[in-house]
Amino acid sequence: MFSLLFAPPNFVDDLLLKLFSQETVNFVVWPFIQIGAVITLIAVWALYASYLERKISAFMQARLGPMRVGKWGLLQPIADAVKLLTKEDLMPERADPYIFRFAPYIAVAATFLTFSVVPFAPNWGVITDVNIGLLLVLAVSSVGVLALILAGWSSNSKYALLGGLRSSAQMVSYEVSMGLSLVGALMFARTLSLSGIVGAQASDSVWFFLYQPLAFAIFFVSGIAENNRAPFDLPEAESELVAGFHTEYSGMRWSLFFMAEYAAMVVVAGVATTVFLGGWYFPGVLRLAGGYNNLYVFLSLFVFVVKCAVLLYLYFWFRWTFPRYRYDQLMDLGWKWLIPASLLNIVWTGLTVFTVQALDGWNNIKTIESLKGAPNLARGLNLTATGKGVAIALGWAGLLVAALFLAAVNWRSRDFNLKKQRRQVRLVDVPKGKPAVATTAATGEG
Amino acid sequence: MFTIPLFVLFGAMAVGCALAMVAQRNPLYSAISLIGVFVSLACLYMTLQAPFIAAVQVIVYAGAIMVLVVFVIMLLNVEEEVRRPVRLRFLVPVGVLLAAILIGEAAFILKLPGAASRIDAFGQRPSDVGLTASIGTALFTEYLLPFEVTSVLILMALVGAITLARRTATPRLAAPGNVDTEPPELGPRGEVFIRPGDTAETGRAFARHQLQRGEAAASAKRTGEEGER
């Protein structure tokens, strides 16, 4: 049993090679096996995410959560799935029938497409390694906005339309900071390929989270907003919009949106893991690469899953502990806080990279190992221990700089620095010496 | 081996979506078909080994511009177009003629004597045209000036859009004369109506007016109370 777990895919490969040609196996059969595995796993995750959500919220609120179906309610998601599959698929009378039916598929397709570039593990854990992996993730997520808008519009319901409008404004604004926050990490990685980013971190044996704490925070917050999860679930705010853009959906089509949402959480967690938390890499794993190839792949896969799971737990944690933002606060956070911070992060990272490279020549401090021959782009900056120390110190100093910068930018904004602002509140053009109207109540007492 | 079937698939998708875009009556369906065209073009770029251009195609066109277009169509609630009598009938043969010329040109390029060998030679050479690194290098070295000029152009467009969209600075309430002398228009219950064209300046002027009126009333009340005592 144990040996079967680590059985090499070689015998599968041999079997396939007997049936198909080498090219077909490499470009058609293996990708289909990988895609099938990923889709199955993500679908199961989407089922059990609802269970986890209910259990975690229950434990946070000192309840038990689902307990009836199976042991600890473990079969509850299956029961829910059967219910959703057999439910009637309703459509509002004056809805746009084609777009109404089509929108959930856009949501699901856009989300699942991103998994094609996420490196789950080295070797056969990568479906495809295009050299624009990160751009593809951003591109596809920007198309995913369309699903929400179209679903909201085609339902012919005011709640759904408002949810769709909110979602489009929210996702378009948070996309900007999401994309900009990745630039800093890319300056260290020097490639857009997600496998290459993991490789750059592995060759430096460091996580980019250490160089880029600010960018990680910005990326994760924007990711939560991009997924429309609480505290940014304005498009489906129950207290105002019933259920937002999917108000009119029922049965299977509703569950497709639901599946897309949980899968999109995995996408953001997976990209955050890959770019900032070292992906499948952990110290010492590369030593296994020679002799124990399958152990190496499985261990890396396990590490990737654990890192993702931590981030996904954060999602649930945030959802059940933070209150929902007001809509204007949400826009303020995106445009006045996250985007300036991510722009500052780009400048600051540029300075960091410049300093690290400049130190190489000054006072004989070696911060970069010389790459023999042609510089290998997939190996990142190739820093020495000194260089890493400088980069990490400057990265965390960037947090302080960003705090000061944001305080300066937002000093007079409405939801910041209220105590100081209240002290300075003056009514406009009231002549000096004359009291404003509000003081009459106080004088009236005497 | 798989290039030809993929090309046929995505090319057919692009052409089909383009035809659907023109033929649809409902503007939203046309917009969705246009997204289909962009996505299949991106797939074609991908098969041409220009992944960066493919990604930018999807981000800029399918992601940004088409979301804006769909947004506008939804908000304006554009109805389905009714069929109108065709004007400018002579354009139909002109269109057919132009299409024929275009197809002829493409055939001429492909069927030129020796074209096949040149295409083969081009295909053999490893190309880095669509790669991120080559585009970045070219943009920031050889084409730095055009790049910067373009970005200034886009910035100008942005400033222009903001200038056009900005509300007028003249406060409506204060416009006819002095606020102190002319009271604002009030509703039957004393409420103020906010109208398009109102600015922060309007609000401030109104606040000034309210303040002075309220002060006058308060002082009148105070003197009245004192008189009662």
Side-chain angles (χ1 to χ4, degrees), chain A residues 152 156-165 235 240-248:
Chain A
N156 193 29
S157 146
K158 56 184 173 242
Y159 298 120
L161 181 64
L162 282 174
L165 290 181
E240 309 153 32
L241 294 179
V242 188
F245 63 91
H246 58 60
T247 305
E248 304 294 341

Side-chain angles (χ1 to χ4, degrees), chain A residues 23 96 98 131 149 153 168, chain B residues 1 28-29 71 74 131:
Chain A
E23 205 180 18
D96 191 315
Y98 304 108
N131 64 3
I149 308 179
W153 178 80
S168 53
Chain B
M1 179 185 170
L28 198 61
Y29 290 3
F71 205 73
M74 273 165 44
L131 297 185

Side-chain angles (χ1 to χ4, degrees), chain A residues 107-359:
Chain A
V108 172
T111 317
F112 276 72
L113 197 57
T114 359
F115 285 109
S116 59
V117 291
V118 175
F120 298 97
N123 205 345
W124 47 267
V126 186
I127 297 179
T128 172
D129 181 26
V130 283
N131 64 3
I132 46 133
L134 211 50
L135 277 184
L136 191 89
V137 172
L138 294 175
V140 171
S141 77
S142 70
V143 174
V145 184
L146 280 170
L148 272 61
I149 308 179
L150 291 177
W153 178 80
S154 66
S155 299
N156 193 29
S157 146
K158 56 184 173 242
Y159 298 120
L161 181 64
L162 282 174
L165 290 181
R166 277 186 179 186
S167 74
S168 53
Q170 174 180 338
M171 289 174 86
V172 166
S173 17
Y174 277 85
E175 238 164 45
V176 180
S177 54
M178 196 172 178
L180 288 176
S181 69
L182 290 169
V183 175
L186 292 179
M187 284 189 203
F188 286 104
R190 306 211 294 167
T191 173
L192 280 167
S193 146
L194 285 165
S195 297
I197 292 171
V198 177
Q201 296 176 75
S203 73
D204 269 12
S205 58
V206 75
W207 291 356
F208 283 158
F209 168 67
L210 294 173
Y211 296 158
Q212 296 280 315
L214 178 63
F216 176 70
I218 297 169
F219 180 81
F220 198 59
V221 172
S222 318
I224 295 174
E226 190 80 355
N227 291 164
N228 299 320
R229 287 280 300 186
F232 306 107
D233 58 345
L234 270 294
E236 43 196 290
E238 321 56 17
S239 52
E240 309 153 32
L241 294 179
V242 188
F245 63 91
H246 58 60
T247 305
E248 304 294 341
Y249 282 87
S250 63
M252 200 54 215
R253 284 178 212 286
W254 177 80
S255 64
L256 285 177
F257 275 121
F258 175 78
M259 197 155 102
E261 183 182 318
Y262 281 121
M265 281 165 59
V266 184
V267 170
V268 170
V271 173
T273 305
T274 309
V275 178
F276 293 105
L277 298 182
W280 46 260
Y281 170 77
F282 65 98
V285 71
L286 294 175
R287 284 187 203 160
L288 292 169
Y292 308 92
N293 200 20
N294 288 293
L295 185 65
Y296 163 60
V297 176
F298 275 110
L299 264 181
S300 311
L301 189 63
F302 178 71
V303 167
F304 182 85
V305 169
V306 168
K307 286 174 181 173
C308 272
V310 171
L311 292 183
L312 289 170
Y313 180 73
L314 281 181
Y315 266 96
F316 293 128
W317 191 2
F318 288 168
R319 169 151 186 189
W320 297 106
T321 44
F322 286 132
R324 181 180 298 129
Y325 277 92
R326 219 170 50 214
Y327 193 66
D328 61 320
Q329 289 173 332
L330 175 93
M331 284 293 149
D332 273 5
L333 184 71
W335 289 99
K336 291 187 188 166
W337 295 83
L338 293 184
I339 291 179
S342 53
L343 287 172
L344 178 87
N345 183 58
I346 294 175
V347 176
W348 188 255
T349 311
L351 287 176
T352 306
V353 172
F354 173 76
T355 313
V356 166
Q357 284 179 334
L359 279 175

Side-chain angles (χ1 to χ4, degrees), chain B residues 99-162:
Chain B
I101 291 174
L102 193 66
I103 293 169
E105 279 175 349
F108 181 68
I109 291 168
L110 290 174
K111 291 294 166 193
L112 211 64
S117 64
R118 257 182 285 127
I119 290 168
D120 277 351
F122 189 72
Q124 302 292 311
R125 212 184 314 145
S127 157
D128 60 347
V129 171
L131 297 185
T132 322
S134 60
I135 288 177
T137 316
L139 270 188
F140 285 100
T141 53
E142 202 175 338
Y143 301 104
L144 184 62
L145 186 67
F147 177 69
E148 294 294 337
V149 169
T150 315
S151 54
V152 169
L153 195 70
I154 292 171
L155 185 69
M156 277 161 63
L158 204 67
V159 172
I162 291 172

